[in-house]
Amino acid sequence: MSSPRTASTGPVAPWDVPVTPGMIRKVSIVCFLAWVISVYDFTLFGTLLPVIAEDFGWSTAQSTMINTLAHVGVFIVSLIVGPIIDRLGRRNALVILMIGGGLAAGFTGMAIGAVSIILVRSFTGLSLSEEVVNAVYLSEIYKDVKNKGFFYSVVQAGYPIGALVAAGMSALLLPVIGWRWSFVIAGVLAIAVALVATRLPESPTFAAIREARRRQSVGDDAGAQVLIDQHRLEMDSETQGGLKEVFSPALRRHTILLSLAWLFSWIGIQVFSVLGTTVLVEAKGVSFENALVILIGANAVGFVGYLFHGWLGDRIGRQRTVILGWLAGAASSLGMLLIPGATWFIIAMYGLTLFFLTGPFAALLYYMGESFPAHARGMGTNVAHVMAPVGGIVGSGLLSALLFAGLSMTAAAILSGTLGLALAGLCMMGTRRIEGSGADAPADLLGHGNHPDIEKDEVTL
């Protein structure tokens, strides 16, 4: 992409490129598509797991254990994402993750057994981490936009749309092309998005960080300070980012509790979303075909949940929105599992569960991007986010262990998914209140002070 030009000054430096409405739309659309495709592949595996298990002759407990081991690999692969974002750039990270995830999706269709599936699915940790890029990239692109939380929620709503596509494609194409070709299609779509992403601009904030560090390295501290002030960066010649910074005294408690919130919430995601068909079939006696239909309808409701929580976060604060949403999700899942009812009741309660389970992530992801200083934004966000596959491991493993112990699916889902979601909401109570993150509530709203590295809304689109 050529550099923008003006008649009087010639080429514009990457850190001085204006963030125009056109740039915002372009980046938003590509990030949205990338997230849809990433979730499509990720959810596709959980949706088709009963079919894959039948093909390979696995029991329900065996299939959930294989899913658990695959999540161990996802966690390991996800560890490299933070350094990629902070060192190679936001745009380049998006391209790399989508290519890696696309290849992993395609090769899933060539799996010959449990070992190959575990190895290949491990690399979906790249595409699963695409939402980390979105959180970092878009928090910098949107930083001067009013109602940014709602705009971000539209992008993050790619999660229920991706899950919806996975369920819909499974219902329509599984009888025609089988589960293997379903993953090949997901891989092709991911590579296509990666190619489009190569035409996106780099974040001016990242360009400023890189140039400021270059100037500092050659002794031009005054020139570096100009960029630091211009882009409202919290860095100096001693600041390098990385793990040491996100676990510094100023950020340690926030990082730990945010990481635990991700871990516990993803126990809920694993049980009620990724393994939703298995839970509905085993706990509520729903047929696999009807479970797919319920999954489609519930994820449509989940899409509305993303928009609602993004909108609400701009008004009452993103931290508070996440807390209230997850606690409501725990209550909804408990009602779905314990209260007997007809199919319409199951659909309604499952829809509410996904509404409050996945919807708060629209507020959470943007909150994460703005809660860490820009130079450590990729690392800080990724440190918390890598706990998602750990939560998947714990959720799937705990569900398997409870089933092996002889508990019913109903009891196992409550002790894993419902409890995990409630604990996630409680952990969020201990994270930092970010001034500018939605409504500016009193500083002692949840017993914590303001974060010093906040960027305020200044421009309305």
Side-chain angles (χ1 to χ4, degrees):
M1 178 179 293
S2 60
S3 300
R5 295 177 179 273
T6 65
S8 58
T9 61
V12 176
W15 50 89
D16 288 330
V17 172
V19 179
T20 64
M23 177 192 293
I24 292 173
R25 284 193 295 271
K26 185 176 182 179
V27 173
S28 299
I29 290 171
V30 176
C31 286
F32 171 78
L33 292 175
W35 188 223
V36 168
I37 300 306
S38 297
V39 174
Y40 167 50
D41 167 62
F42 179 72
T43 309
L44 188 67
F45 183 69
T47 302
L48 295 181
L49 189 56
V51 178
I52 297 172
E54 182 179 359
D55 193 18
F56 287 113
W58 303 332
S59 66
T60 300
Q62 287 174 324
S63 66
T64 55
M65 182 57 66
I66 289 168
N67 190 51
T68 300
L69 294 175
H71 274 78
V72 174
V74 168
F75 167 72
I76 294 172
V77 172
S78 297
L79 293 174
I80 69 173
V81 173
I84 291 175
I85 297 172
D86 282 337
R87 296 178 185 177
L88 301 183
R90 310 347 184 179
R91 188 272 312 275
N92 291 339
L94 177 59
V95 174
I96 292 170
L97 299 192
M98 291 307 295
I99 290 176
L103 292 175
F107 281 114
T108 299
M110 300 172 62
I112 58 175
V115 174
S116 60
I117 281 186
I118 292 170
L119 291 176
V120 170
R121 295 308 297 176
S122 296
F123 286 92
T124 60
L126 295 174
S127 55
L128 180 62
S129 298
E130 192 278 330
E131 68 176 339
V132 177
V133 180
N134 284 357
V136 175
Y137 197 1
L138 293 178
S139 69
E140 295 173 355
I141 295 297
Y142 291 171
K143 69 179 181 180
D144 292 326
V145 176
K146 188 177 181 180
N147 296 321
K148 52 185 147 186
F150 178 76
F151 286 124
Y152 185 80
S153 73
V154 175
V155 176
Q156 186 62 21
Y159 189 99
I161 290 180
L164 185 65
V165 170
M169 292 285 280
S170 298
L172 293 175
L173 298 181
L174 183 62
V176 180
I177 63 176
W179 66 267
R180 294 182 181 275
W181 279 101
S182 296
F183 285 104
V184 173
I185 290 175
V188 171
L189 293 175
I191 298 297
V193 171
L195 294 176
V196 175
T198 61
R199 302 182 62 83
L200 292 178
E202 183 52 86
S203 160
T205 299
F206 175 77
I209 293 171
R210 184 163 51 186
E211 176 61 13
R213 283 178 173 160
R214 187 196 68 79
R215 293 180 186 182
Q216 289 171 343
S217 69
V218 297
D220 184 11
D221 291 337
Q225 192 61 46
V226 170
L227 282 178
I228 291 172
D229 294 339
Q230 177 185 349
H231 289 270
R232 295 167 286 176
L233 305 175
E234 295 292 331
M235 59 182 292
D236 53 38
S237 59
E238 303 300 322
T239 299
Q240 297 299 323
L243 279 174
K244 183 178 180 180
E245 177 131 1
V246 300
F247 284 104
S248 66
L251 293 172
R252 183 186 302 125
R253 179 177 179 177
H254 175 65
T255 301
I256 291 173
L257 288 175
L258 196 57
S259 299
L260 288 175
W262 270 92
L263 185 149
F264 289 128
S265 65
W266 262 78
I267 293 176
I269 287 284
Q270 185 71 17
V271 173
F272 295 122
S273 181
V274 177
L275 297 175
T277 51
T278 301
V279 172
L280 289 171
V281 169
E282 299 293 333
K284 306 302 294 185
V286 178
S287 69
F288 178 72
E289 292 74 15
N290 287 337
L292 283 177
V293 174
I294 292 175
L295 199 61
I296 292 172
N299 277 289
V301 174
F303 171 78
V304 179
Y306 273 86
L307 301 184
F308 171 78
H309 287 87
W311 170 84
L312 187 63
D314 281 330
R315 282 148 184 82
I316 70 170
R318 285 178 260 284
Q319 180 195 42
R320 183 186 289 178
T321 295
V322 175
I323 294 169
L324 295 176
W326 280 345
L327 293 180
S332 299
S333 67
L334 190 63
M336 177 192 71
L337 291 168
L338 291 181
I339 301 174
T343 301
W344 68 267
F345 178 80
I346 296 174
I347 293 174
M349 294 304 295
Y350 187 62
L352 274 179
T353 298
L354 291 192
F355 182 91
F356 290 117
L357 168 62
T358 61
F361 281 96
L364 177 67
L365 265 295
Y366 198 93
Y367 167 81
M368 288 171 62
E370 65 187 357
S371 70
F372 290 99
H375 60 275
R377 189 164 283 155
M379 179 61 73
T381 303
N382 192 61
V383 165
H385 186 267
V386 295
M387 298 307 290
V390 175
I393 295 167
V394 174
S396 185
L398 181 58
L399 188 66
S400 298
L402 293 171
L403 292 174
F404 273 123
L407 271 68
S408 67
M409 178 61 81
T410 298
I414 291 173
L415 292 176
S416 54
T418 301
L419 180 60
L421 198 51
L423 290 174
L426 295 177
C427 285
M428 284 299 298
M429 292 182 180
T431 58
R432 291 180 177 269
R433 188 188 72 83
I434 306 302
E435 189 160 338
S437 177
D440 290 335
D444 62 349
L445 169 66
L446 294 171
H448 307 287
N450 299 333
H451 193 286
D453 305 317
I454 284 307
E455 297 164 348
K456 304 288 184 68
D457 294 348
E458 293 183 354
V459 177
T460 301
L461 283 181

